[in-house]
Amino acid sequence: MPQPSTGTLLFVGCATLDAIALVEDYPAADSRTVASDFATAGGGPAATAAVAAARAGARTAFAGVLGTDEEGDRIITGLQAEGVDTSAVIRDPDVRTGASVIVVSRAAESRAIVTRPVPPVSFPANSRFHELAEAASWIHVDHLGWNAVASLPGGPAGRSISVDAGNPIPSFSPRGVALYVPTIERLRAEYGDGLAPEALLQKALDDGASAVVATAGSEGAWVLERGGMAAHVPATPAAIVSTLGAGDVYHGAILAAVAAGLPLVEAAAFAGRTASASCAGLDGRSAIPRQAITPALA
């Protein structure tokens, strides 16, 4: 992995405003259901990852596209309150900011999401995004941020790129990606169901990634970097209110830990604990711990 850095971590992609209700059972048609809790909070893979990294002590920035509506205003305010640089955010009056209504069921231990799509993420030439991208020590992208980074001069080559591949990314290749973090299900969809996790990770390395961390929820994560041996990192037990955003928190925490110089297995353990702690909150951000990264935390 690259050497420790105190530079900015740039997160590129999706930001939403989420309205979340906690209920015992999912509502039936034409019913009235009383929620035991309700929250409105910022969401989106890249934006929540930026918050998680900021709470771990990293210097962070977020780049994405928002409308000039109230939802966009609230997203910007929330990110700035966490110390996230939003100077590369595009406010486009012709789009509507991404937003979701989420119902979390205690009985089913699951959630249902109704979402308004996030606008495409693209940036004009010589924008603030390009300035931050050239200066950043790491660039993290989700499925909506990939194309913007892949279209930078030279693409991923020569940059420290981290990729959240939990969602499909059309035309994606891990070649040149320094830290590739898909779900184990995504690797199985790409390389085949019959392979062991270690073999799936090796396939991703063979396709050009420098390091792979495949997450598997309650089964923990598998870690492999070029020249090393595969390792399994167990999951951290959690008192779960909601798993909303836990994967996004994991991505921000692992990148902050890697950027701070922790070995990859220790970084994955730190990220697992951070994501588990975040599940104590109804939304994806309020329960993210604030903690400095040291080897003792791993």
Side-chain angles (χ1 to χ4, degrees):
M1 300 299 296
Q3 294 299 308
S5 172
T6 58
T8 297
L9 311 183
L10 174 61
F11 294 79
V12 186
C14 176
T16 64
L17 189 69
D18 297 338
I20 312 120
L22 179 63
V23 300
E24 187 61 29
D25 294 296
Y26 288 120
D30 297 320
S31 67
R32 180 179 183 274
T33 300
V34 176
S36 58
D37 198 3
F38 192 90
T40 302
T48 298
V51 171
R55 290 197 181 186
R59 187 164 69 226
T60 64
F62 171 75
V65 177
L66 303 175
T68 55
D69 44 26
E70 179 187 0
E71 292 93 335
D73 293 343
R74 294 176 68 176
I75 288 170
I76 290 288
T77 298
L79 291 172
Q80 291 176 345
E82 298 288 348
V84 178
D85 178 351
T86 60
S87 61
V89 173
I90 300 292
R91 303 297 301 272
D92 186 342
D94 294 325
V95 305
R96 299 183 71 187
T97 298
S100 298
V101 174
I102 302 164
V103 178
V104 178
S105 168
R106 286 187 190 273
E109 295 185 341
S110 62
R111 62 184 184 265
I113 301 175
V114 181
T115 191
R116 182 167 71 202
V118 175
V121 176
S122 62
F123 304 92
N126 302 316
S127 67
R128 174 63 173 159
F129 161 72
H130 292 85
E131 181 181 346
L132 285 177
E134 290 305 315
S137 59
W138 278 88
I139 305 174
H140 174 80
V141 300
D142 60 21
H143 60 295
L144 292 181
W146 169 253
N147 285 337
V149 172
S151 64
L152 287 169
R159 306 176 191 272
S160 294
I161 304 293
S162 164
V163 177
D164 171 356
N167 293 304
I169 305 176
S171 304
F172 171 74
S173 167
R175 183 165 302 281
V177 172
L179 179 59
Y180 177 37
V181 190
T183 62
I184 198 72
E185 290 83 3
R186 176 56 42 201
L187 289 184
R188 286 172 177 151
E190 182 70 24
Y191 300 117
D193 285 335
L195 296 177
E198 295 83 356
L200 292 169
L201 269 63
Q202 185 59 55
K203 288 281 190 181
L205 290 189
D206 293 343
D207 277 350
S210 297
V212 184
V213 179
T215 60
S218 62
E219 296 180 21
W222 284 267
V223 175
L224 179 62
E225 53 189 320
R226 195 170 299 281
M229 298 289 292
H232 178 248
V233 180
T236 301
I240 296 176
V241 172
S242 170
T243 59
L244 181 66
D248 310 330
V249 171
Y250 186 100
H251 284 275
I254 194 171
L255 182 56
V258 167
L262 265 64
L264 192 56
V265 170
E266 295 181 12
F270 173 81
R273 285 195 306 279
T274 303
S276 292
S278 76
C279 294
L282 176 58
D283 64 283
R285 296 187 186 173
S286 61
I288 301 172
R290 300 182 186 273
Q291 53 190 333
I293 296 173
T294 67
L297 285 173

